[in-house]
Amino acid sequence: MSEPIRTNKPTTRLGRSERRAQIMDAALRVFADRDASDVAFEEIADAAGVSRALVYNYFGDRAGLLEAVYRHHSALLGHVVADALHGVRGPRHSLECVVRAHLDFARRSPNSYRYASGEAVFTHVPELDQERVTALAKMFGDGPSAVLVARGSLSSLQSMVLQWVASGAHDLDGAASAITNFLWKGLSALTEFHPPVGACWWPDLEAARLP
């Protein structure tokens, strides 16, 4: 009687960074067009082809995974905003370019914008909201007033963009003009507000990462 033929399939062991990226890619696919509250760790693990325990090993808990998803989408929006600022002619024009970048990004990727704006995340990870406001407040000086202005500006911008998307995302030019005028009227009245030409108006989350 002959021995059965054995086939030894080579197994691939991924490095830690590659494995984390694999799980992250799966998480982005699962979270796409889904509310964060509706997604279970088991779905992420199944999509990545790994165990639930391994997802916990790389991201700690649900908050850690949501933070990673938020930072991913926020970085995408940050790159779009930075690209929009090439060749700006002054602070108001900088603001207008940023507003248009937000509108265009939200129209093309509404769910990505929801995660970048924190709408789908901050309920679960509220400290991230404070982190980005603190980072943006540096544009408005020091102290509690700067934080208030940063909070109001960012919340107003994102709320108006999300409302525009929800209402059908029509007339980007009209929306950009309305939002820019609304924000600039208040900001230009602040005597301590002197943003540099090309100011990004979007928090540098890596520089502001909390310990």
Side-chain angles (χ1 to χ4, degrees):
M1 186 174 179
S2 60
E3 291 288 328
I5 299 174
R6 300 179 183 274
T7 58
N8 296 319
K9 294 183 179 180
T11 58
T12 302
R13 290 183 60 84
L14 298 179
R16 186 168 181 83
S17 61
E18 290 84 0
R19 181 67 74 188
R20 189 181 191 281
Q22 176 193 19
I23 298 172
M24 185 65 189
D25 287 343
L28 293 173
R29 294 196 305 272
V30 174
F31 277 115
D33 300 321
R34 299 272 302 278
D35 187 277
S37 300
D38 297 333
V39 176
F41 257 45
E42 288 81 358
E43 294 180 76
I44 307 296
D46 289 345
V50 300
S51 68
R52 184 170 180 265
L54 198 60
V55 179
Y56 276 105
N57 182 48
Y58 278 87
F59 293 95
D61 55 16
R62 184 180 188 81
L65 181 59
L66 285 172
E67 177 179 350
V69 171
Y70 162 69
R71 289 188 186 280
H72 170 85
H73 290 294
S74 183
L76 292 179
L77 176 56
H79 288 309
V80 170
V81 169
D83 288 344
L85 290 170
H86 292 306
V88 296
R89 298 184 297 275
R92 190 186 188 285
H93 188 221
S94 296
L95 176 60
E96 180 182 359
C97 289
V98 170
V99 170
R100 294 184 69 89
H102 276 248
L103 291 167
D104 184 58
F105 185 92
R107 181 169 62 179
R108 289 185 290 105
S109 307
N111 203 55
S112 182
Y113 188 81
R114 285 185 62 240
Y115 278 99
S117 69
E119 185 192 53
V121 177
F122 290 159
T123 299
H124 308 277
V125 198
E127 59 269 22
L128 289 177
D129 186 24
Q130 185 59 45
E131 177 184 318
R132 68 172 190 161
V133 171
T134 300
L136 189 63
K138 295 175 182 178
M139 281 185 57
F140 304 104
D142 299 316
S145 295
V147 175
L148 286 175
V149 173
R151 164 75 67 191
S153 302
L154 196 55
S155 297
S156 297
L157 169 60
Q158 293 178 340
S159 294
M160 288 188 280
V161 171
L162 289 168
Q163 174 60 38
W164 177 72
V165 171
S167 64
H170 303 299
D171 187 13
L172 189 150
D173 290 339
S177 177
I179 296 172
T180 302
N181 289 337
F182 177 85
L183 293 173
W184 185 253
K185 185 173 182 180
L187 292 173
S188 61
L190 299 174
T191 57
E192 66 273 29
F193 175 57
H194 301 289
V197 175
C200 196
W201 301 81
W202 188 244
D204 183 348
L205 294 178
E206 287 306 312
R209 187 185 290 270
L210 298 177

